[in-house]
Amino acid sequence: MPLTLTRPDLIRSANFIAGQWSDAPAAPAPRLAVTDPATGALITEVPDSGALEARAALDAAHAAFAAWRKVPAKQRAAIIKRWNDLVIAHQDDLGALISLEQGKPLAEGKGEVAYAASYIEWFGEEATRMNGEVIPAPLPGRRMFALKEPVGVVAAITPWNFPAAMIARKIAPALAAGCTVVCKPAEDTPLTSLALVLLAHEAGVPAGVLNIVTASREKTPELVDVWLQDARVRKITFTGSTPVGKHLARRSADTLKKLSLELGGNAPFIVFDDADIDAAVDGFMAAKFRNGGQTCVCPNRVFVQRGVFDAFAHKLAARVAALQVGPASDPASQIGPMINARAVEKIERHVQDAVAKGAKVLVGGKRLAELGPHYYAPTVLTGADARMACACEETFGPVAPLTVFDDEAEVLAAANDTPFGLAAYFYSQDVRRIWRVADALETGIVGINEGALAAEAAPFGGVKESGYGREGSTHGLDDYLHTKYVCQGQLD
Ligand code: SIN
């Protein structure tokens, strides 16, 4: 079944700056090919933008800020609500577009649209609740207030693994807060972002409030540098790798921008002897194989206590062996292609390294070249240990390396033995252990007997080198606001 859109004009091939679909201002404009990761076929080309386009987008966002911040919150909320309605109305088309450029199965693509819309709806509602405080004054004749204000122009740099959801949970709170936005979507998946911006424009987001420029990996540093250096950008929000996050933090220091950094993870998934093993397998399948294992929060290291190791490994192997791998266009597919050649090479390197160091392949462990260049078989390894690359680096693919452990203290030390701290999961039915372990895990997110954690009302983000700032929930709105203290005297 080919992935087609009922509204083909949702596929845009230009930047959106100051309310106009503009090709690169400088001619002849360099172009960036967007391809289907399942086949390598060209979908379309978008501008390969640089400093010129970055500056034009920033000028537009800066010019629009003064008016947008003054639009009453209720009106901003109504515009965001209309955007949400349009996203839902185009769920099938947007889902197909996500699947086409990112490769996730169509059901997951449509699911991501609903997930993205949940953030848009949530932040639209929150726009009307950005209450400040009236503070009891310690001296007579004074009134003291803490007012919430938008930080200003926000630069959003978004990843390829959730091309709709990640842009939604950055841009919706920015618009709700009264900020204006310049956005650079991931080079592999710019089309979903451009379609979302088109719908935002149709929903009534005024010209200049939301600007988007596309660029290749090679041109991105030139483009983003303009935003990093310019004091008019007051916040950077980024989802991606830890090295890039650190670079953005360093380069933002000169103008002291506010930062939200959602960076790499290395999530442990722990199964204790007292766990419900079937529930643990279900939770693991949901957490690990969503988007083919290409999520920051997916379990990267699996620790199973000795007493249940064989049962867990056996049940898991059966479930993983049954996963259907294939293109997004096949409704039976549960795991699609990986995003690009580098992604498959990394997965292959991790599995080969683990096997060379003593791990055993229980299921998978190889490329599926017969399906296409970017497919890797869902894999279960046993005998994984801390020396292996798959224990130290994010594999970002459908690989489950299992390690046996004996006691709680040992597994907590192993789980926390990483510079990363995004998500952790564990399964246990002992209520004392549950709170002990939840307290001891050094991560921003903990799943207890639950593998599917993300929700618009929950604060998503990490600690340690997984970054700072939160997305979703009221915390995710606060990150786009600053607090102004206002004191009025002479009132007696
Ligand atoms: C991510 O992988 O970056 C986000 C995953 C999520 O929203 O659950």
Side-chain angles (χ1 to χ4, degrees):
M1 192 181 65
L3 294 168
T4 50
L5 274 62
T6 54
R7 235 191 98 173
D9 69 310
L10 283 175
I11 300 189
R12 310 304 297 192
S13 307
N15 290 328
F16 189 71
I17 300 175
Q20 301 292 326
W21 291 102
S22 57
D23 221 317
R31 308 291 290 175
L32 165 65
V34 187
T35 56
D36 175 349
T39 59
L42 181 71
I43 305 169
T44 188
E45 289 180 339
V46 295
D48 192 4
S49 317
L52 204 62
E53 296 80 13
R55 217 163 279 122
L58 175 52
D59 289 346
H62 182 251
F65 177 60
W68 179 244
R69 67 177 299 185
K70 292 215 173 76
V71 171
K74 188 167 175 164
Q75 215 174 308
R76 287 203 304 273
I79 293 171
I80 298 169
K81 161 102 176 50
R82 276 200 298 277
W83 185 25
N84 171 62
D85 294 345
L86 285 174
V87 170
I88 294 291
H90 293 87
Q91 181 172 12
D92 288 351
D93 275 357
L94 292 170
L97 195 48
I98 292 171
S99 293
L100 193 59
E101 65 173 346
Q102 198 267 323
K104 66 182 57 160
L106 192 51
E108 274 197 57
K110 288 186 197 170
E112 184 184 336
V113 178
Y115 181 46
S118 72
Y119 285 98
I120 300 174
E121 182 182 41
W122 165 272
F123 285 113
E125 290 166 350
E126 284 302 296
T128 58
R129 297 186 198 121
M130 293 185 303
N131 305 332
E133 292 163 30
V134 181
I135 302 162
L139 295 169
R142 290 187 179 197
R143 287 286 160 102
M144 293 165 52
F145 308 89
L147 306 181
K148 300 280 186 188
E149 292 193 333
V151 292
V153 177
V154 172
I157 305 167
T158 59
W160 53 262
N161 59 343
F162 290 92
M166 297 303 106
I167 196 171
R169 76 186 189 195
K170 293 180 188 317
I171 289 180
L175 299 184
C179 298
T180 57
V181 179
V182 290
C183 175
K184 207 284 303 169
E187 42 289 314
D188 293 303
T189 57
L191 301 181
T192 308
S193 319
L194 293 170
L196 285 173
V197 168
L198 171 68
L199 295 177
H201 179 59
E202 289 178 0
V205 172
V209 169
L210 180 50
N211 309 276
I212 183 161
V213 287
T214 55
S216 63
R217 274 181 188 79
E218 293 70 33
K219 286 287 279 295
T220 291
E222 173 190 322
L223 186 156
V224 171
D225 244 32
V226 169
W227 297 343
L228 287 167
Q229 282 170 18
D230 199 309
R232 292 176 298 169
V233 174
R234 294 314 314 146
K235 177 182 167 82
I236 304 269
T237 172
F238 169 69
T239 297
S241 75
T242 294
V244 173
K246 287 181 180 177
H247 170 78
L248 296 175
R250 273 187 218 107
R251 301 277 286 114
S252 295
D254 283 343
T255 49
L256 284 181
K257 301 184 198 310
K258 197 165 173 153
L259 287 162
S260 291
L261 300 174
E262 202 260 271
L263 308 178
N266 186 4
F269 188 102
I270 307 170
V271 185
F272 288 100
D273 277 347
D274 57 39
D276 174 335
I277 299 303
D278 290 323
V281 172
D282 284 347
F284 184 78
M285 293 300 292
K288 177 73 221 183
F289 293 103
R290 173 175 172 235
N291 198 17
Q294 301 174 109
T295 71
C296 306
V297 283
C298 77
N300 204 50
R301 298 168 296 151
V302 194
F303 300 100
V304 188
Q305 205 161 6
R306 198 171 297 279
V308 293
F309 187 88
D310 288 346
F312 181 84
H314 178 76
K315 287 176 188 238
L316 181 65
R319 291 281 293 276
V320 173
L323 285 171
Q324 294 286 319
V325 183
S329 52
D330 179 348
S333 298
Q334 294 168 294
I335 305 275
M338 300 294 104
I339 187 69
N340 55 33
R342 280 178 307 134
V344 196
E345 280 156 21
K346 185 178 191 190
I347 296 165
E348 189 168 49
R349 173 170 65 78
H350 278 197
V351 172
Q352 286 173 354
D353 169 76
V355 170
K357 290 177 178 152
K360 297 269 174 297
V361 176
L362 210 54
V363 179
K366 57 178 180 10
R367 282 177 186 256
L368 297 174
E370 63 280 17
L371 293 177
H374 298 161
Y375 288 93
Y376 200 91
T379 296
V380 181
L381 303 174
T382 56
D385 67 40
R387 296 166 305 141
M388 297 172 182
C390 62
C392 317
E393 300 169 26
E394 227 178 351
T395 302
F396 234 65
V399 178
L402 271 50
T403 304
V404 70
F405 75 91
D406 287 302
D407 68 61
E408 188 181 304
E410 170 202 347
V411 79
L412 282 173
N416 289 335
D417 185 18
T418 167
F420 302 101
L422 186 54
Y425 307 79
F426 67 94
Y427 277 71
S428 167
Q429 298 194 83
D430 174 341
V431 72
R432 288 191 188 84
R433 163 174 280 157
I434 281 175
W435 287 106
R436 235 177 13 242
V437 172
D439 286 350
L441 286 167
E442 296 170 357
T443 57
I445 303 170
V446 177
I448 307 169
N449 297 330
E450 182 57 66
L453 307 180
E456 72 282 6
F460 186 105
V463 298
K464 294 161 72 178
E465 294 190 21
S466 291
Y468 40 74
R470 291 294 177 265
E471 293 190 329
S473 81
T474 51
H475 304 280
L477 185 58
D478 270 350
D479 275 7
Y480 293 83
L481 297 166
H482 59 66
T483 304
K484 180 182 272 179
Y485 162 48
V486 174
C487 175
Q488 186 176 7
Q490 306 286 318
L491 289 174
D492 51 354

